[in-house]
Structures are given as structure tokens and as C-alpha cells.
Amino acid sequence: SPSDLLSQFKHAGPRTRTHVRAAELLDTTVELIREMDMDELLHATGCSAELRPPLCQTDCLSNRYRTIGGECNNRQHPLWGAANTAYTRWLSPQYQDGRAVPRGWDLQYGYHNFTLPPVRAVSQQILYTQNEDISLDSSLSHLLVEWGQWIDHDLVLTPQTPSKAAFHTGVDCTHTCSRDTPCFPIQIPSSDPRASAQSCMPFFRSAPSCQVLPLCHREQLNAITSFVDASMVYGSTGPLASALRNHSSPFGLLAHNLLHSDQGLAYMPYLPRQPSRPDPCGPLVTSTTLPPCGHLGDSRANEHLGMIALHTLFLREHNRLAQELHLLNPHWSPETLYQEARKILGAVHQVLTWDHYLPRVLGQKAHLELLPPYQSYQPDTDPSVANAFATAAFRFAHVTVHPVVNRLDPGYRPSSHHPDLPLHLSLFASWRVVQEGGIDPVLRGLLLYPAKLQTPGQMMVEELTERLFQAQGGLPLDLGALNLQRGRDHGLPGYSAWRRLCDLSVPATVTELAGMLGSAKLAQKLLHLYGTPHNIDLWVGAISEPPLPGGRVGPLLSCLLGKQFRALRDGDRFWWEREEVFTGAQRAELQRVSLSRIICDNTGLGHVPLDPFAHTAHAGDMVPCSHPRIPSLNLSAWRDDIIMFDVMSGYQFGGRVWLPRVTVGSLNETLNRDCLTLKQSDIHQPCDSDVDECAQEAPPCPVKAQCVNTPGSYTCTGKDTAVLPRHRRHSIRYKASLCSRQHNQIVLLTLCPSIPSLLPVCVSQR
């Protein structure tokens, strides 16, 4: 059923399910036993373990690569931005009972002397737009819309409760119109065209978080990392990240489909078939026994053809990066290749989102004001996604979705073999990619066709309000009503409170509201439903505002989006512009990143637009992939400079730049580690000065050897230094670091496992 499908793409992993089970026990128990000691409840339900902060490492790897689950990004607050933590709040929630009951739970409950309208009535009277009655955006391609959802899936996944029955009565939530947590069904008004077929639409409350204290109200859970880190490619838990890798490859690759390919290019691997769960991704009538749902880092990967195309594209891009890095650095281990490719791909997503996507959404002026140039990492900034952003603000693009999925041939013409599809026929249809031409026709359609233009009378197409999941059978859902009900479930305050948060004027009359929305008709409709501007649900109020110059969102959404994306940037210890994350040469290359280039490198497309987010009016305006304004990412900036040195004698490399003395541990220990970190305090002397090691209290050479000082190092002479006995090789302590006047804090050593002997040892400067 459509309700089952909604559960399918909100499917939580084992780690999230453990948290949710504990949180549901706690939430329900708190309702029943208000006076019981909270510490006892936390322990008895399992929530105390879920809230315990992790122990953060401080070694080289933890400084170089972010964790899969996002924990320890901030060392003082290790759970900030981590997966399976609560959304943050910019305003306190307004639950009906002050603790957990959603707004609008009691249909007669008054807010500012008015009851809240049924969300389905708001969808019908404000949002509903016939598929044929839309205007097209002359400036933006539909790929911009797709990118917004793609990044949303990097930031936000709100699992719904896994419980299917009401806690108090045991009734199945899919077959009841009674409100009993977790059932929060959507009413169908008597005037609704659907009223003859159904009296309500199933809706399950979002899963709670264990984070009840000290807040004492219900919070919802973000099952994935808050950071823009390409988690939809790699996953947000260790087991999932491991399951997505090709462990038999020496190149650090992600796993791909072994049964089918796209003219030699990879498809995403299939999910293992689960007999207890029906497969929603295949055609309704098929003889195939293959499980066509794809297995990638986000459970929503199969939601529709555009999302499947982007998942496939970036699976290929990771593997392309990893293989190129191997050619540059054949001594790198599979783990290093995987982590470096993952690190680059995460940075690519940050550049494309902040520098290419957000200016078009916010408008150039608002973009510069809300997101001024990056200065530095701010450890006191919480990068966690806010509840209002996840539940309302970043759902703005739902009203820019086109009702048709266009598929085009290599000449960017309508394809006779793979014709255009109504949007609802592309949902959970990953089988179409394999059987109907791969991802190239879909990408051409996204590049050439424009986004839908939002106007006060053209909000959300009927494909989304009347036909959501219709192709899979059962009564379809309504995305607009789901958005509004979700906001009430999460206790989001009304429209006026958010205007006040952003220092914007608050409307009190229909005239003032009409002035803000630029439409007297829309203002009248909203007040007819809500009675007062204060009660308007955040999402519908925010999307109703006319866009700022050059952008596609109004003042309130600009404020909320800017606030969130600035926190995501400044509170991320691994932000790509931070000097400690990439070298200057690497940052210069990353600035040249182009989504068109990524498409060229990983598909059969030979012609693309210079700006894939801009609407290209004619297919003839596409340029060849060899165009100089679509540069390739030059990975030579990631090549290691290999330096050989003898662990006993040290090594001087050129002029006044040499190896200072730093003790880093036993050779045996070092060979089993990927890298070592040396602090500035470990460097005994600046790079352009020398120290006489032989004059120290404990000379570094063996007892029978003579120590001879050399510029930047020392030499041990004598018979004990020529050949080291095999039994002594694993106990040698060596002194090595790389230092230059330009990089006085160079810290990374990478040992080359390809060298069979322990002498000489290979180190690399990063």
C-alpha cells in the first residue's frame, strides 16, 4: 500500500531501530508513569546507553577523515551533527499538552481562538494544481530541483515509528481514523473528492528521540549525519558503509551491480531479497526473479528515477576517483584510497551546494548577506540540523516539481523507445533504469527541461497531491498534507513565530498578509482556513511568500535556509575550505568542480550545458564535454612526494630543508598503522637550523657505534649499523618527520607497505 511505501523509504537501519525502540519505550512510559525517577527510566528503557557520548580519538586518522556516523566532528560536543541524535530547535516546540501531543490532535482545541484546519483541506484549497495548469521556470533546470532533494537526503532522515498499532488500544494504524499514538491519521473532509472512498489517510508519527531530559518534551530523531558529507552515497553507520564496499578490490571501490551494466558503466547493487517484505521497486507484472531495489547509502535511493540517476552517478564517481588516486599513489592501501575518494566527494558536494546551488535558491544578494565568505571553523557552532529546517523549510522545492519525467535520446529529443512518464509512474521504478536505457535518458531530461515555476495559484501538482504512490496500488497519498501533518506532529510553532525569529514583520490582518504574499486572493484563502496569520502552518506560509530578487524563496525561507547552511559550514571541522583539511593546491582544484564534468566522466553524454542548474533553452546550446569551461579535476595535487631515508642515518633533502629529529614510536607499531601525527611541539628545532644529536645525554646510536653529526641529522658508523639482525628489526625506534619552511607543521607520515625490507622506509609529505 502507499502507507507501506512511505515506511519503505523511511526504513531505518539496525542502529536507528535500537535507538527508536528505546525512545518509544521511554516516551510511552513517561506518559504512564510521570512520577518515576527519570534516571531509572533512562536506564530501564536503554536510552542511557543511546545518550552516552562516544570516546573521541585524537590520532592521525581522526584528524584526517570524518567518522561515518558524524560523531566526534566536534570534540567538545561529540554528538553534535551525529547520526541518531535529536534535531536541534530554534524555537521551543508548541505541543498541544506542552510535552508531546501534536498541534491539531484535538480537532476542537483552540489556537489564538481558532481551531486548526484539516491539512487535507489546506492541500485542496491552497496547494492543488492540475498537471496541465503550470508555468515553467525560464531560468532554472529541473536538475536544480533534483539537487535540492539529493542534498536533503544527505542531511535529513526522520524515521517514522516502527510500531504499526496504537499503544493503548492495539488497533492497526493503517485501518483506523482514531488518534492514538503512533496513529495520527489525516482527516478527509466531507467536501473532498476522496470522501466517498476514504474517511482518513494513514499517518504514523515520527519516531521520538531518547533526548527527553533536560527538555522534558518530545524530540524527533535524525537517523543520518547532519553534515554535507555525501552520506547518501556512503551511509551513516559502520555496518552499512562496510556493506556498500567492494572488499575484494585493492582500489577502495564501492560495490556495484554484478548482473547488469549500463553499456559498461556500473549500476547500483541490488538489495538482498527479503522474503518477509514485498519488493516495491519492480514492475507490477513481471517474471523476473531479480530484486530490483538498489542498495545504497540512503534508504530513499529508489524513490524515483531522478534520485536513482544521481545515486548511480555518484557511485561511479567515487570509483573513478579511487582508481585515479591509485594510479597516482600505487602504494596507498585500499582503505586510504576509499577514505581519500570519500573525502574528495564530500568536498565536491559542499562546493556544488554552497557555490552553485544556494546562490540560485537564495539570490545572489541574500546569499552574500546570509553566507559571507568562510573564515574559520567555529567549535561553538552546533551544526545539527534544526527541526524546522528538516520538517518545513527544506521542503520548499516540493512546489517546483514538474509532473512529468522527461527522457531524451542522445540528440536531446523525445525518445521513441523510452517516452516521457507521468511522475507517479516513476516512483519506486528502479527497474526502468535497467530495462529502459539506463540513466542517460533521465539525466538529459533533467538537464534540458525547466523546473516548474511556483506562483500563488500554482503550488503543488496533482501528481503529488492526488497520485502519490498510486502506481503501486491502494489509495494514493498526498505529499502536501503529509508535510503539514508532519509539522504538527513535530510541534512546530505557527508562521508568525518564525517571522518574528527572523526579525521580519508579523502580519495581523488580511491586508498586511496580502502585502507580504503579493496576493490578496491567497491571503484571503489562508485566513478563511486558519482564522489568523499566527496559526498558519510554517511550511505553507513560507512557500507562499514571493521570491527575493534572483532567488526562488521568500524572506522567511531565505532566513531559515541561510541560518542552517551557515551552521553546517562553520560548525564542520572537516569543511573543505579549512586549511587543515586540504592543501592549498587541492583547494584550488576543488573550486573548479563542475557537475557537468561529473556527468561527462560517468555517463554516455557527450554534450552538456555549461551550467547544469540553468535552463538551457535549446539542445543546440549544449557544449561538448571537451569544452575548456568544463575542466577536469586534476588529482595530481593528491600525489604523494615520496622520500626515501635510512632509519639509522636519517636523510637530508635539499638545501636548508631536512628531517628534524622526532621520536614516533617503534617501527613494528608504525608498519601496522596508516599514518602518524606529529605536533608542532614534537619538532625540536625549526627547519632551517641544526641540532647536534650526538651531543645529547643519550646519543641515538647503538652502544658500539660512533655518532657523527650531520646537517639536519646524524650518522652512526660501526659494524652494528651496516646490517640489522632480523630479531632486532621490530624493536628499532626511529626518528623521522617531514618539515619545510613553507609547512612548519607538516604532520603526516604514510609508510609504504610495498617495500619488503624495513630499510629503507618510505614516507610521504602531505
Side-chain angles (χ1 to χ4, degrees):
S1 71
S3 182
D4 294 329
L5 285 168
L6 193 62
S7 300
Q8 172 75 18
F9 69 74
K10 286 180 175 288
H11 179 63
R15 181 73 181 80
T16 303
R17 290 199 298 272
T18 299
H19 185 110
V20 167
R21 278 194 297 269
E24 281 199 331
L25 278 171
L26 178 64
D27 190 70
T28 306
T29 307
V30 168
E31 275 296 310
L32 299 174
I33 313 173
R34 292 293 187 106
E35 301 302 321
M36 188 175 176
D37 181 74
M38 186 58 70
D39 288 336
E40 291 181 22
L41 283 177
L42 289 170
H43 179 74
T45 58
C47 271
S48 57
E50 293 299 313
L51 296 175
R52 190 176 301 124
L55 181 64
C56 296
Q57 302 296 319
T58 57
D59 59 3
C60 171
L61 291 178
S62 67
N63 285 324
R64 190 171 180 187
Y65 306 122
R66 61 173 83 237
T67 59
I68 282 289
E71 63 277 359
C72 296
N73 187 297
N74 187 306
R75 292 222 167 92
Q76 286 70 46
H77 305 279
L79 291 178
W80 277 6
N84 297 311
T85 57
Y87 292 114
T88 190
R89 294 272 186 180
W90 293 334
L91 289 176
S92 297
Q94 292 183 2
Y95 290 113
Q96 185 174 292
D97 65 343
R99 198 199 75 81
V101 175
R103 282 163 53 88
W105 181 268
D106 181 348
L107 302 179
Q108 304 306 315
Y109 190 88
Y111 300 84
H112 300 98
N113 299 319
F114 294 94
T115 58
L116 297 182
V119 295
R120 175 66 182 169
V122 179
S123 176
Q124 281 281 290
Q125 297 181 41
I126 303 295
L127 302 175
Y128 174 79
T129 304
Q130 289 186 332
N131 291 338
E132 300 78 16
D133 295 341
I134 63 169
S135 300
L136 300 179
D137 194 319
S138 61
S139 300
L140 302 179
S141 75
H142 207 275
L143 186 57
L144 182 93
V145 179
E146 213 64 56
W147 188 262
Q149 186 176 17
W150 176 246
I151 293 302
D152 178 78
H153 290 187
D154 194 7
L155 300 172
V156 173
L157 175 58
T158 309
Q160 71 179 33
T161 173
S163 303
K164 300 300 181 186
F167 293 146
H168 293 95
T169 63
V171 65
D172 186 343
C173 289
T174 59
H175 299 110
T176 181
C177 291
S178 299
R179 301 189 170 193
D180 184 0
T181 296
C183 317
F184 186 26
I186 295 171
Q187 270 191 314
I188 305 296
S190 58
S191 59
D192 194 306
R194 293 196 190 193
S196 60
Q198 59 186 141
S199 55
C200 68
M201 191 182 300
F203 182 93
F204 293 84
R205 296 197 67 185
S206 295
S209 165
C210 281
Q211 191 171 338
V212 174
L213 290 177
L215 304 174
C216 295
H217 60 248
R218 184 182 179 108
E219 288 292 359
Q220 288 75 33
L221 189 70
N222 190 0
I224 62 178
T225 68
S226 290
F227 306 100
V228 174
D229 56 2
S231 62
M232 64 293 219
V233 178
Y234 301 102
S236 289
T237 65
L240 176 57
S242 178
L244 296 173
R245 293 178 62 173
N246 180 355
H247 292 284
S248 64
S249 166
F251 306 131
L253 304 182
L254 293 173
H256 65 277
N257 197 306
L258 299 177
L259 299 173
H260 300 97
S261 73
D262 187 0
Q263 301 180 53
L265 298 172
Y267 282 132
M268 52 186 178
Y270 288 144
L271 269 171
R273 183 178 287 279
Q274 300 182 36
S276 61
R277 181 183 301 156
D279 178 11
C281 301
L284 293 180
V285 179
T286 178
S287 59
T288 181
T289 58
L290 297 175
C293 272
H295 188 207
L296 283 171
D298 185 84
S299 61
R300 299 158 289 186
N302 304 279
E303 190 174 328
H304 59 87
L305 292 183
M307 201 51 44
I308 294 163
L310 287 179
H311 270 284
T312 305
L313 180 72
F314 283 100
L315 162 68
R316 295 173 185 175
E317 176 66 359
H318 168 92
N319 287 351
R320 188 192 71 81
L321 289 170
Q323 288 170 318
E324 286 206 17
L325 289 170
H326 170 73
L327 294 176
L328 288 169
N329 301 293
H331 57 285
W332 279 6
S333 68
E335 180 65 19
T336 298
L337 290 167
Y338 167 81
Q339 293 290 359
E340 288 291 325
R342 172 177 168 248
K343 184 177 179 180
I344 293 171
L345 202 62
V348 164
H349 279 77
Q350 292 177 349
V351 175
L352 291 176
T353 301
W354 269 259
D355 295 353
H356 299 228
Y357 171 77
L358 286 173
R360 292 191 172 277
V361 171
L362 300 174
Q364 288 288 350
K365 184 174 183 293
H367 181 259
L368 290 173
E369 291 174 355
L370 296 166
L371 295 167
Y374 180 73
Q375 297 298 319
S376 63
Y377 168 54
Q378 305 293 325
D380 58 344
T381 295
D382 186 354
S384 302
V385 167
N387 209 313
F389 176 88
T391 313
F394 211 44
R395 300 187 182 204
F396 75 92
H398 290 172
V399 292
T400 63
V401 174
H402 197 282
V404 174
V405 175
N406 303 108
R407 297 187 291 179
L408 303 176
D409 69 13
Y412 283 89
R413 297 178 297 267
S415 172
S416 57
H417 297 291
H418 316 302
D420 297 342
L421 289 170
L423 179 61
H424 72 277
L425 292 181
S426 82
L427 304 181
F428 283 94
S430 51
W431 63 274
R432 291 187 183 275
V433 171
V434 175
Q435 298 184 17
E436 296 183 359
I439 68 171
D440 291 6
V442 178
L443 286 172
R444 292 190 198 100
L446 293 173
L447 289 168
L448 185 65
Y449 279 85
K452 171 192 165 293
L453 186 68
Q454 178 202 355
T455 66
Q458 300 178 9
M459 291 287 203
M460 183 176 280
V461 295
E462 61 181 301
E463 286 292 306
L464 296 176
T465 63
E466 307 305 317
R467 300 176 184 172
L468 187 65
F469 304 142
Q470 182 180 27
Q472 282 73 21
L475 293 170
L477 300 177
D478 173 353
L479 182 59
L482 292 174
N483 286 347
L484 294 165
Q485 194 83 333
R486 191 65 65 194
R488 296 181 184 185
D489 174 26
H490 289 208
L492 295 185
Y495 174 64
S496 294
W498 297 100
R499 293 271 305 182
R500 194 174 295 112
L501 173 75
C502 290
D503 293 325
L504 299 169
S505 59
V506 176
T509 66
V510 67
T511 302
E512 291 174 350
L513 183 62
M516 289 176 187
L517 304 185
S519 170
K521 185 177 181 181
L522 179 57
Q524 290 166 356
K525 283 184 176 182
L526 286 168
L527 288 193
H528 174 72
L529 285 163
Y530 287 94
T532 170
H534 305 309
N535 283 353
I536 297 173
D537 290 289
L538 168 59
W539 178 70
V540 73
I543 63 171
S544 297
E545 295 181 351
L548 294 173
R552 288 299 178 270
V553 295
L556 178 53
L557 279 173
S558 290
C559 165
L560 299 179
L561 296 181
K563 184 177 177 68
Q564 182 68 74
F565 279 103
R566 185 162 186 176
L568 288 168
R569 181 191 71 180
D570 295 349
D572 186 356
R573 184 162 61 91
F574 294 95
W575 178 255
W576 77 275
E577 290 177 283
R578 190 176 181 224
E579 290 189 1
E580 293 85 347
V581 176
F582 291 103
T583 67
Q586 290 168 350
R587 291 195 300 273
E589 278 303 310
L590 288 170
Q591 280 184 312
R592 291 156 27 98
V593 161
S594 161
L595 185 53
S596 288
R597 180 77 260 161
I598 293 172
I599 292 172
C600 285
D601 288 342
N602 296 284
T603 69
L605 274 66
H607 288 74
V608 292
L610 289 174
D611 182 352
F613 290 154
H615 175 225
T616 304
H618 306 288
D621 296 331
M622 302 288 177
V623 300
C625 286
S626 58
H627 195 283
R629 287 177 59 189
I630 308 178
S632 296
L633 182 64
N634 185 355
L635 292 177
S636 63
W638 279 261
R639 179 187 287 114
D640 272 351
D641 296 323
I642 303 303
I643 299 166
M644 307 297 293
F645 72 98
D646 187 301
V647 294
M648 293 302 296
S649 65
Y651 182 82
Q652 177 181 350
F653 58 102
R656 292 157 60 122
V657 180
W658 44 63
L659 300 172
R661 293 194 52 213
V662 182
T663 301
V664 293
S666 73
L667 196 57
N668 182 50
E669 175 190 8
T670 304
L671 286 173
N672 290 298
R673 295 174 60 187
D674 285 326
C675 56
L676 296 166
T677 301
L678 308 176
K679 301 176 183 176
Q680 176 67 27
S681 59
D682 294 326
I683 301 177
H684 298 305
Q685 296 291 335
C687 298
D688 56 357
S689 63
D690 187 28
V691 61
D692 186 353
E693 293 88 350
C694 301
Q696 294 182 354
E697 236 178 89
C701 295
V703 175
K704 296 182 180 180
Q706 181 181 359
C707 178
V708 179
N709 186 47
T710 61
S713 188
Y714 60 92
T715 301
C716 299
T717 60
K719 62 180 182 179
D720 288 347
T721 64
V723 178
L724 294 170
R726 184 173 298 276
H727 69 275
R728 290 185 56 200
R729 287 184 179 177
H730 293 301
S731 62
I732 296 173
R733 298 182 67 83
Y734 73 99
K735 302 182 178 190
S737 173
L738 297 181
C739 182
S740 72
R741 285 181 294 175
Q742 290 76 25
H743 299 284
N744 207 32
Q745 298 185 40
I746 290 297
V747 295
L748 184 64
L749 303 177
T750 302
L751 289 155
C752 300
S754 58
I755 298 178
S757 170
L758 301 187
L759 297 176
V761 178
C762 173
V763 295
S764 65
Q765 178 173 350
R766 295 301 310 241

